[in-house]
């Protein structure tokens, strides 16, 4: 199956380590990706829906024009924002028609409502299959204690789960399929604080400190997230959060494709693990000792 | 059913510490958590304090934490929540407890609802014979009007545990209800106030509120409605947090110009030169890791002009 690939802005901006890691992992697993290069930022929950719904309808129409109905993201926020827009456009044909008429027609585009938005995480479990993933693992991450951190938008609101409540456990399932150990903690489904980094930095940093601190105290050696915006806050904000709290945290935060990539046998360099703010050296060393 | 209820007991005036007390209860199948509390008060301790009124899930009075999750005691069936024959009942989180399961609703809700000025400020004097509003015009706010102030959305809120001052989804839902009321004429002033710190921009839009609301009001979406309205009317922040408006404007400007987000530019334009001293060490750290997107060196996406046209059309319309 081919997927329209929507990499999002951050995977090549603030988290430039994510895009190449995802492409390498997808290549190794043989996911047929066709990157959409001529589409816009989905609005990330910042832009008003008056603007972002037409932008997203355009993205979906572009995928359809290439004969693709499955759209893969590598970001929880992209998934939630585009998935939410998609629901509105699919559920209300009159709304979709209005957007087609007002915004897309002059580019000779029209969204027919056939696209499904899927995070790489969902795609791996639902389409690719964990057994196949297990079979691709070259270096089981034995003994590595990993805490999952989802990012709000691939868990809530309910509609995003499309009737599959197990989506709230997929990260744990993938961590285990890679041979690593899940270090569960209460904050895994909570907000990372990134959305209020501008409006209320103290609240944002307090959330970072609470979640990374809790995972660390439970024994996690690293955290894995399918959301680069969570990554920006949990990794990039961690030194500030630790300072505000007056403690050291030092919990490396890995992107989902990086964790998968390590298990597939890619090196820390190939996955750009040095591009993180919180050093990932200990994780890289531990993994490099595994065969 | 024979069960153990573990109930939060605390009398702050007595100077004792809060504790979970265990009580045996014997209930028929289909009994609710409220039935259990009433039995404890009848059989074990007449001094157990809790709130309840309608007993049918209509009034929103008996919001409690039941087995660690916010629920209305009167419509929560014991059989559905009991774990290993036990049910734990506590007040909602992050709130001052007055006694046992009675907490300060004033602090949780009423003060916050007062802050959003939950009364109409009509644009015109009331016409003779009162306002006549066509049904369709009231439709968008009808659900929000059914809010019964149970506080479950605030109980599940991601922000309140970190900041009790945050106005919270219940009060912001009330704000939505008046901002979008066709009789109201003060949307701009209201949105300015709601845009101040502790208001709608402090919401992390985590959608917890949607999951917690028993009335299907989807409070997170109502907060998005408020924000979108604020953008439409050009009131993108309060007076005390101008960086919020700068953030929106910079975000929109870069997507409009190149089709995607220029994160370097966003940081610079949001914080301006005022925080340069603070931002530089962070920027240096990011630069050393090859993580810093250089502001303004941002290639246009193919087809970016179509994105710009979308912005133009939306602006023209509003
Ligand atoms: S919005 Fe829903 S959850 Fe919040 S107070 Fe009203 S009825 Fe309760």
């Amino acid at each position: 199956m081919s997927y329209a690939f929507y990499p999002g802005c951050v995977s090549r901006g603030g988290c430039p380590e994510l895009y190449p890691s995802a492409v390498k992992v997808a290549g190794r697993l043989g996911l047929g990706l066709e990157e959409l290069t001529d589409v816009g930022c989905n609005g990330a929950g910042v832009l008003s829906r008056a603007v972002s719904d037409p932008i997203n309808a355009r993205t979906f129409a572009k995928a359809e024009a290439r004969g693709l109905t499955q759209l893969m993201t590598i970001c929880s926020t992209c998934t939630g924002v585009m998935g939410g827009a998609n629901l509105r456009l699919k559920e209300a044909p009159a709304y979709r028609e209005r957007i087609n008429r007002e915004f897309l027609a002059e580019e000779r585009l029209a969204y027919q409502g056939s696209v499904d938005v899927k995070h790489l995480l969902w795609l791996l479990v639902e389409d690719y299959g964990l057994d196949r993933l297990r079979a691709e693992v070259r270096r089981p991450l034995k003994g590595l204690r990993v805490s999952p951190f989802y990012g709000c938008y691939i868990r809530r609101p309910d509609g995003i789960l499309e009737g599959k409540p197990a989506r709230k456990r997929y990260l744990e399932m993938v961590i285990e399929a890679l041979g690593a150990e899940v270090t569960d903690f209460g904050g895994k489904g909570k907000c990372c604080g990134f959305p209020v980094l501008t409006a209320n930095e103290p609240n944002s940093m307090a959330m970072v400190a609470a979640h990374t601190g809790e995972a660390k105290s439970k024994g996690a050696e690293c955290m894995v997230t399918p959301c680069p915006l969570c990554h920006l806050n949990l990794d990039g904000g961690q030194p500030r959060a630790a300072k505000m709290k007056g403690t050291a945290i030092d919990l490396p935060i890995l992107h989902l494709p990086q964790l998968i990539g390590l298990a597939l046998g890619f090196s820390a360099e190939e996955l750009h693990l040095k591009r993180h703010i919180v050093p990932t050296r200990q994780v890289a060393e531990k993994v490099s000792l595994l065969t | 059913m024979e069960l153990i209820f573990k109930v939060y007991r605390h009398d702050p005036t007595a100077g004792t510490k809060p504790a979970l007390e265990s009580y045996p209860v014997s209930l028929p199948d289909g009994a609710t958590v409220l039935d259990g509390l009433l039995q404890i008060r009848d059989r074990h301790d007449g001094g157990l304090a809790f709130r309840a009124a309608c007993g049918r899930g209509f009034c929103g009075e008996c919001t409690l934490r039941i087995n660690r999750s916010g629920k209305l005691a009167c419509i929560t069936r014991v059989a559905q929540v009991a774990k290993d024959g036990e049910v734990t009942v506590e007040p909602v989180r992050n709130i001052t407890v007055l006694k046992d399961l009675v907490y300060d609703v004033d602090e949780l809700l009423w003060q916050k609802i007062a802050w959003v000025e939950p009364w109409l400020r009509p644009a015109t004097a009331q016409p003779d014979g009162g306002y006549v509003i066509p049904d369709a015009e009231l439709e968008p706010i009808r659900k929000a009007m059914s809010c019964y102030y149970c506080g479950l959305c605030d109980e599940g809120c991601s922000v309140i545990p970190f900041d009790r001052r945050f106005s919270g989804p219940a009060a912001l839902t009330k704000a939505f209800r008046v901002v979008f009321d066709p009789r109201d004429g003060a949307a701009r002033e209201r949105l300015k106030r709601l845009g101040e710190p502790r208001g709608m921009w402090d919401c992390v839009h985590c959608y917890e509120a949607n999951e917690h609301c028993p009335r299907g009001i989807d409070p997170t979406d109502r907060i998005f409605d408020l924000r979108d309205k604020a953008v439409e009317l050009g009131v993108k922040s309060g007076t005390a947090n101008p960086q919020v408006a700068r953030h929106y404007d910079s975000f929109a400007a870069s997507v409009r110009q190149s089709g995607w987000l220029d994160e370097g530019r966003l940081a610079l334009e949001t914080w301006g030169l005022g925080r340069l001293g603070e931002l530089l060490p962070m920027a240096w750290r990011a630069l050393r890791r090859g993580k810093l997107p250089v502001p303004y060196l941002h290639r246009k996406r193919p087809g970016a002009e179509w994105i710009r046209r979308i912005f133009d059309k939306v602006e023209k319309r509003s």
Side-chain angles (χ1 to χ4, degrees):
Chain A
M1 192 191 296
S2 288
Y3 294 92
F5 175 34
Y6 181 90
C9 305
V10 183
S11 72
R12 279 175 298 183
C15 293
E17 64 280 3
L18 173 57
Y19 175 82
S21 304
V23 169
K24 279 172 195 157
V25 164
R28 176 69 62 83
L29 296 178
L31 307 174
L33 299 189
E34 290 188 31
E35 185 171 333
L36 300 174
T37 51
D38 55 351
V39 296
C41 164
N42 61 58
V46 174
L47 291 182
S48 105
R49 287 168 300 182
V51 182
S52 61
D53 278 3
I55 293 180
N56 290 316
R58 181 176 176 274
T59 303
F60 303 144
K62 284 266 177 191
E64 280 179 344
R66 294 168 76 153
L68 300 169
T69 59
Q70 304 298 301
L71 185 145
M72 186 190 96
T73 69
I74 47 173
C75 166
S76 301
T77 305
C78 292
T79 310
V81 173
M82 296 173 82
N86 201 22
L87 272 183
R88 284 191 288 280
L89 293 162
K90 279 186 172 183
E91 275 171 5
Y95 180 55
R96 192 172 72 231
E97 284 316 312
R98 182 172 71 71
I99 288 198
N100 281 341
R101 205 175 46 244
E102 280 184 32
F103 297 98
L104 307 192
E106 63 170 338
E107 200 184 344
R108 292 180 198 283
L109 285 172
Y111 178 42
Q112 309 295 340
S114 71
V115 169
D116 291 323
V117 178
K118 277 194 171 169
H119 194 288
L120 166 70
L121 175 66
W122 297 348
L123 185 159
L124 281 178
V125 179
E126 293 165 10
D127 300 358
Y128 192 79
L130 290 179
D131 286 338
R132 265 174 88 193
L133 179 64
R134 258 181 230 111
E136 292 291 338
V137 169
R138 301 269 175 282
R139 181 166 55 191
L141 304 176
K142 227 171 135 240
L144 186 68
R145 295 188 303 274
V146 186
S147 276
F149 194 91
Y150 281 82
C152 296
Y153 309 118
I154 53 170
R155 292 173 71 95
R156 290 178 297 273
D158 243 11
I160 202 75
L161 301 176
E162 297 171 330
K164 301 183 183 85
R167 282 183 174 173
K168 291 190 172 180
R169 296 196 307 274
Y170 283 2
L171 259 185
E172 289 90 321
M173 287 154 67
V174 168
I175 293 170
E176 280 167 359
L178 301 175
E181 248 173 60
V182 174
T183 304
D184 204 8
F185 77 112
K188 69 182 171 194
K190 301 224 168 107
C191 174
C192 69
F194 186 76
V196 290
L197 185 59
T198 302
N200 196 324
E201 197 177 342
N203 284 358
S204 180
M205 289 299 111
M207 291 180 196
V208 171
H211 304 322
T212 53
E214 186 193 356
K216 181 96 184 185
S217 73
K218 293 259 163 84
E221 292 166 282
C222 65
M223 188 179 262
V224 66
T225 179
C227 183
L229 300 186
C230 293
H231 193 276
L232 281 177
N233 227 32
L234 298 170
D235 176 57
Q238 205 183 111
R240 254 177 308 157
K243 204 164 153 195
M244 274 176 59
K245 214 182 162 201
T247 58
I249 302 173
D250 296 326
L251 183 71
I253 315 290
L254 268 55
H255 297 283
L256 177 65
Q258 289 178 319
L259 189 77
I260 299 171
L262 287 173
L264 296 183
F266 288 107
S267 68
E269 288 71 33
E270 286 171 302
L271 301 165
H272 306 283
L273 280 175
K274 283 211 175 118
R275 281 189 161 174
H276 291 208
I277 297 298
V278 178
T280 53
R281 195 168 33 87
Q282 284 178 354
V283 174
E285 275 170 11
K286 182 160 184 173
V287 170
S288 72
L289 296 176
L290 300 169
T291 46
Chain B
M1 277 181 294
E2 305 299 317
L3 300 128
I4 299 291
F5 265 48
K6 293 184 159 176
V7 182
Y8 180 97
R9 302 299 307 264
H10 186 208
D11 182 357
T13 58
T16 48
K17 286 210 166 130
L20 284 178
E21 295 281 342
S22 294
Y23 301 95
V25 292
S26 172
L27 294 165
D29 293 348
T32 66
V33 173
L34 178 59
D35 293 329
L37 293 175
L38 289 165
Q39 189 178 99
I40 294 168
R41 195 164 68 183
D42 285 349
R43 295 190 187 165
H44 299 285
D45 186 349
L48 173 66
F50 56 89
R51 272 201 187 94
C54 77
R56 287 177 170 73
F58 289 162
C59 73
E61 188 77 8
C62 58
T63 302
L64 290 167
R65 256 172 96 70
I66 298 168
N67 279 355
R68 310 270 188 260
S69 133
K71 293 201 161 48
L72 296 176
C74 72
I75 51 169
T76 303
R77 302 217 177 267
V78 171
Q80 276 164 3
V81 289
K83 278 205 188 95
D84 304 325
E86 286 185 3
V87 176
T88 305
V89 189
E90 297 161 284
V92 296
R93 292 168 296 179
N94 309 301
I95 192 75
T96 306
V97 170
L98 302 175
K99 185 173 187 305
D100 304 331
L101 302 173
V102 175
Y103 46 83
D104 189 353
V105 188
D106 209 30
E107 180 190 326
L108 178 79
L109 274 175
W110 302 125
Q111 287 172 15
K112 294 178 177 183
I113 285 174
W115 182 73
V116 308
E117 301 184 332
W119 47 84
L120 285 179
R121 290 160 65 185
T124 52
Q126 181 171 321
D128 287 344
Y131 294 101
V132 179
I133 305 174
D135 202 43
E137 275 186 46
L138 218 53
E139 192 49 38
I141 60 168
R142 204 180 293 287
K143 262 222 166 135
M145 287 164 75
S146 78
C147 168
Y148 51 21
Y149 311 112
C150 65
L152 275 171
C153 53
D154 282 3
E155 207 287 324
C157 175
S158 295
V159 179
I160 295 174
F162 293 94
D163 182 359
R164 277 160 75 159
R165 278 174 31 88
F166 174 49
S167 50
L172 291 169
T173 294
K174 187 71 183 175
F176 162 87
R177 187 245 170 281
V178 283
V179 166
F180 285 84
D181 190 300
R183 295 165 292 180
D184 197 72
R188 197 177 290 273
E189 294 83 347
R190 289 182 185 283
L191 291 164
K192 186 87 186 155
R193 182 184 180 85
L194 297 168
E196 296 292 351
R198 79 182 286 216
M200 59 184 168
W201 301 109
D202 277 12
C203 164
V204 292
H205 41 86
C206 61
Y207 288 103
E208 288 278 6
N210 284 19
E211 290 215 332
H212 283 75
C213 175
R215 308 289 281 179
I217 294 168
D218 292 342
T220 312
D221 291 291
R222 303 298 71 83
I223 298 172
F224 269 124
D225 289 337
L226 285 171
R227 291 181 178 199
D228 286 359
K229 189 78 184 166
V231 170
E232 184 191 320
L233 298 181
V235 215
K236 294 173 202 144
S237 70
T239 327
N241 49 4
Q243 80 278 9
V244 172
R246 291 199 300 263
H247 180 264
Y248 190 94
D249 288 337
S250 175
F251 196 115
S254 87
V255 176
R256 175 186 207 136
Q257 193 191 326
S258 63
W260 60 310
L261 180 62
D262 181 343
E263 290 160 87
R265 169 182 176 181
L266 182 67
L268 209 60
E269 292 182 352
T270 299
W271 293 111
L273 298 179
R275 286 189 62 187
L276 203 60
E278 229 180 294
L279 291 174
L280 273 178
M282 266 158 46
W284 171 239
R285 234 184 345 237
L287 192 70
R288 273 178 38 217
R289 309 292 207 294
K291 267 179 90 74
L292 187 72
V294 183
Y296 306 105
L297 287 181
H298 199 62
R299 268 187 307 110
K300 263 192 188 181
R301 280 281 161 85
E305 68 277 13
W306 294 107
I307 304 287
R308 184 178 49 74
R309 281 195 210 193
I310 290 175
F311 276 92
D312 288 345
K313 281 184 189 163
V314 172
E315 257 163 43
K316 217 158 114 197
R317 210 172 48 195
S318 64

